[in-house]
Amino acid sequence: MSLRNLRNEAILLIDKLLQERKIDGINYTLVEPPSNAFGELTSNIAFQLAQRFNSNPYLVAKDLVDSLLIQLSNQRSRESLLNTIDAHPSGHINFRADWNVYPKAIIGEILDDSYGKFDFGKGKSVIIEHTSVNPNKALHVGHLRNMIIGDVLFRILSAVNYDTSVFYYVDDSGLQVADIVVGFMNAGFPIDPPDPATKFDQYCGNEVYVKINDLYIKNPDLQQKRKSVLKSIEKGNSDLSRFAKDISLRVLRDQLKTCWSLKVRYDLLNFESDIVASKMWEKMFELLKNKGRAAYETEGKNKGCWVIRGSDGDDDKVLIRSDGTLTYVAKDMPYAAWKLGLFSDPFLYRVFSEQWDTSILWAATLDTTVGSHAKRQFGGAEIVINLIDSRQSRLQTIISSTLSAVVKFEKERYMHLSYEPVTLSSRTAKSLGIDIGNTSAHMSGRKGIYVGADQIMEILYKKAKEEIRSRHPIMTDSELSGISESLGRAAVRYNMIKQDLERPIVFDLEESLSLDGDSGPYLQYAFARSQRLLEKGELTHRTNSLANLLHEKESNLIRELSKMDLIIEQCSSQLNPKLMARYAHKLAVAFNLYYEKVPILKETSESLVSARLLLVKAFNIVMRLALNYLGIDPLNRM
RNA sequence: GGGUCCGUAGCGUAGUCAGGAUAUCGCAGCGGUCUUCGGAACCGCAGAUCGAGGGAUCGAAGCCCUCCGGAUCCGCCA
């Protein structure tokens, strides 16, 4: 808050001055300067004015600063954090805090019990749908990116007081599931994995799914089976459809184990079969027909299908196939309408499972005979965020624009949060026995080109374990494995979140093993250091010595600490989880520099020791928050 | 062909929306800190015509235009 307060103070002065001079329409910035030597905040307002009045930026800046300083001295209150304002020869106007009171203001508010409660979301409801892996295979590293972005977003939006629900969409009625069913029913795969230690999701994905796709090529009869299986799955209410549902659920349970092991959680599972059976599509279909959006083709390549007409040059999009089954688009539109609360809720909710954080994972169902239904309603959120990779952008646009053409809602409420997918580096692909030359390869479950999420986590845990053992020869096994899992999780989570969503991640096994540098464990290390200091030192709450924190490394750390509330506001309003990762890293760097250069417990002056410990405590509090938002465990030792 | 996105040191990456002060951080490389609160750290060196060209501007990595290179989508798969 303190940086925000300082900023507001400056804005107040500037706006008042502009008002007095009857200048409007100036869109100035007031931001962190490139170097601390320029103070806490800097503004480009002199450039803007110089442009408008065709004069020299520096002269404008000097003139402005003179007036601002007079105002400041007239208005300075006891709470005032602003010390001085100066005009830099370059034309920038720099604002400096009063460092007699600034450290105490910042650290004091962090140490206060009310710190860390943000309200930018103001109870607005938001649905985040992520992961949603087809229930016929285990998760691979590509899915990790989706899941972790989604989870960090959930943590941040919840922290700023959005009313969040996390959805996992289970496509249990698609072709992929039919493939597995054909594998079991018609191609002779045993239902249980030959090796009982194999996870069922991995067995289905690595064995059955990959091999059945080969068999289709050799055996056209199987293709026919596949079609008829899909049809009866979609029709429902048969032994075959129940068998398919059982298989999906069994895979899903194993997928969830992977998600939970990374400390990702969900609120609700939605099954496509239930969405189809809910008759919401029939309602949507009527709307589409009434508004002239759906058309029946009597000739051409889509003969016998219902389609949406493509707009400006795009091809038509099939809604209902010639065999009467629904495509993804057709299934997704009524579902979207339900999420937005545009359709009444056809579902009941049953307890599916308890999760690692003791929260309940619910499942939507149409079955009225199952007990323990939820009182709460899902669906009908003010904002719906669908986390899907960028390759689906076009399709998502078709869905949302068609939907908005037939039912009325504000388009911004339904968004596709897009990110670039994860590919495999050629080196890693080669290590899997796939030669793709010097480029990177897209992962494909069907072709068997992927690195499994469970496998990569195992390798990381093992690597972390070795590291820890070399540092702490004496440690109990349970502590050792607990910490190594925390480290592995931190490494993966940080890696998946730290760069821009619009940049693809080329996954390389070797590189992902690094626990140094700009990494999750680096953040944990800084936190653990602060934790050790607080354990050894004696924390007093004598805040009056805080004004002595004038070492350069101290003021830098204090500056970083003051930014949290502006950062989390930006993260949540822009749906940009990367910013939190960047901030956490900057914070850790500032602390490590402080730790290296300034003696804390070794300091001889008692009042300085307590002031420095308070600063360490403040860092500890802010860093713990940041780590929690990122889903990284704050470790006491590592 | 059309749509979307990306080109920043050997590699990866921040900054681009809201133009302004020495272009961020990491990996790899070289050298150092090691009787010092935990070396998963810290310090130093070296490494970038910000894809190319043009334009508007006092000022461009950022804005506009053209081009080049790459990714991806344009299924009765989801």
Side-chain angles (χ1 to χ4, degrees), chain A residues 616-634:
Chain A
V616 171
K617 179 67 182 170
F619 163 77
N620 186 272
I621 290 169
V622 178
M623 194 68 197
R624 187 190 295 274
L625 281 182
L627 290 173
N628 279 334
Y629 300 147
L630 296 172
I632 295 176
D633 302 324

Side-chain angles (χ1 to χ4, degrees), chain A residues 360-430:
Chain A
I360 299 293
L361 174 58
W362 299 91
T365 178
L366 296 167
D367 187 350
T368 51
T369 64
V370 206
S372 68
H373 291 121
K375 286 194 192 97
R376 78 171 280 189
Q377 296 282 297
F378 291 95
E382 287 161 78
I383 299 164
V384 176
I385 301 166
N386 298 298
L387 192 54
I388 312 172
D389 84 45
S390 65
R391 290 173 296 185
Q392 277 212 37
S393 295
R394 169 175 290 225
L395 199 51
Q396 291 303 315
T397 309
I398 293 173
I399 289 169
S400 63
S401 62
T402 308
L403 187 64
S404 69
V406 297
V407 271
K408 221 178 130 189
F409 67 97
E410 292 160 54
K411 261 192 146 175
E412 310 76 59
R413 289 179 54 209
Y414 191 77
M415 52 185 116
H416 170 211
L417 187 60
S418 159
Y419 64 94
E420 288 293 318
V422 181
T423 59
L424 286 182
S425 74
S426 65
R427 181 165 57 158
T428 299
K430 204 169 279 175

Side-chain angles (χ1 to χ4, degrees), chain A residues 227 230-231 234 295-307 317-327 330:
Chain A
K227 275 195 178 164
L230 178 63
K231 230 177 158 174
E234 237 180 64
Y296 186 73
E297 294 287 58
T298 53
E299 55 189 74
K301 61 171 184 169
N302 293 332
K303 187 178 174 186
C305 299
W306 282 88
V307 301
K317 198 80 211 158
V318 173
L319 285 170
I320 307 180
R321 301 183 188 103
S322 52
D323 66 1
T325 56
L326 303 179
T327 62

Side-chain angles (χ1 to χ4, degrees), chain A residues 65-197:
Chain A
V65 167
D66 286 345
S67 305
L68 287 171
L69 283 174
I70 292 167
Q71 269 194 47
L72 179 63
S73 64
N74 290 341
Q75 291 182 13
R76 195 191 297 273
S77 68
R78 215 166 288 135
E79 292 83 48
S80 188
L81 296 172
L82 193 54
N83 180 35
T84 186
I85 307 167
D86 50 51
H88 190 269
S90 63
H92 294 88
I93 296 182
N94 297 326
F95 296 79
R96 291 169 201 279
D98 180 353
W99 281 85
N100 290 315
V101 295
Y102 201 50
K104 191 171 171 180
I106 292 169
I107 295 170
E109 95 190 0
I110 292 171
L111 298 177
D112 193 272
D113 290 340
S114 64
Y115 182 76
K117 298 188 177 68
F118 308 103
D119 196 32
F120 308 114
K122 294 197 179 73
K124 252 191 176 180
S125 59
V126 50
I127 288 171
I128 306 167
E129 184 165 280
H130 68 79
T131 315
S132 304
V133 179
N134 288 334
N136 69 326
K137 56 170 173 279
L139 274 69
H140 58 60
V141 288
H143 300 125
L144 289 180
R145 185 174 199 186
N146 183 298
M147 179 169 102
I148 291 164
I149 292 167
D151 187 61
V152 172
L153 215 49
F154 154 73
R155 287 162 183 266
I156 287 170
L157 293 184
S158 303
V160 301
N161 198 25
Y162 277 94
D163 175 15
T164 52
S165 318
V166 182
F167 286 13
Y168 187 127
Y169 181 76
V170 185
D171 179 7
D172 59 349
S173 65
L175 267 177
Q176 293 86 342
V177 176
D179 287 334
I180 302 295
V181 170
V182 170
F184 289 138
M185 305 286 276
N186 308 94
F189 286 94
I191 289 194
D192 292 308
D195 175 2

Side-chain angles (χ1 to χ4, degrees), chain A residues 445-569:
Chain A
R446 196 160 38 82
K447 294 178 194 155
I449 304 175
Y450 55 86
V451 178
D454 294 325
Q455 281 73 35
I456 183 67
M457 292 317 299
E458 273 313 308
I459 295 171
L460 265 171
Y461 295 154
K462 214 177 127 199
K463 157 105 176 175
K465 210 172 232 175
E466 285 163 15
E467 286 283 331
I468 301 163
R469 221 195 307 260
S470 71
R471 285 159 222 260
H472 306 279
I474 307 163
M475 193 182 265
T476 63
D477 276 354
S478 68
E479 196 182 5
L480 184 65
S481 57
I483 296 174
S484 58
E485 281 175 27
S486 279
L487 283 175
R489 250 194 319 262
V492 166
R493 292 192 67 120
Y494 188 78
N495 253 308
M496 289 291 162
I497 211 74
K498 74 172 175 180
Q499 72 249 52
D500 201 278
L501 298 184
E502 284 180 330
R503 208 179 264 281
I505 292 180
V506 178
F507 180 82
D508 187 88
L509 198 56
E510 297 288 317
E511 275 173 32
S512 75
L513 290 177
S514 164
L515 307 176
D516 305 328
D518 186 11
S519 71
Y522 178 90
L523 308 183
Q524 290 175 306
Y525 183 64
F527 180 84
R529 275 178 153 179
S530 75
Q531 198 66 27
R532 303 295 274 177
L533 287 173
L534 293 172
E535 283 165 20
K536 288 184 184 171
E538 229 173 283
L539 196 65
T540 60
H541 281 268
R542 283 187 297 175
T543 52
N544 53 345
S545 58
L546 288 173
N548 296 330
L549 297 174
L550 293 172
H551 190 282
E552 182 212 353
K553 303 297 180 197
E554 283 168 339
S555 27
N556 286 347
L557 179 55
I558 291 169
R559 277 193 193 92
E560 286 305 324
L561 290 173
S562 71
K563 293 178 194 164
M564 175 56 106
D565 82 315
L566 290 171
I567 298 285
I568 194 166
E569 182 185 19

Side-chain angles (χ1 to χ4, degrees), chain A residues 4-20 28 30 68 71 75 82 95:
Chain A
R4 186 187 296 273
N5 292 344
L6 183 72
R7 192 165 181 274
N8 287 342
E9 231 178 289
I11 289 174
L12 214 65
L13 289 175
I14 296 172
D15 286 352
K16 192 166 175 215
L17 184 63
L18 289 177
Q19 208 176 4
E20 271 169 17
Y28 64 90
L30 191 60
L68 287 171
Q71 269 194 47
Q75 291 182 13
L82 193 54
F95 296 79

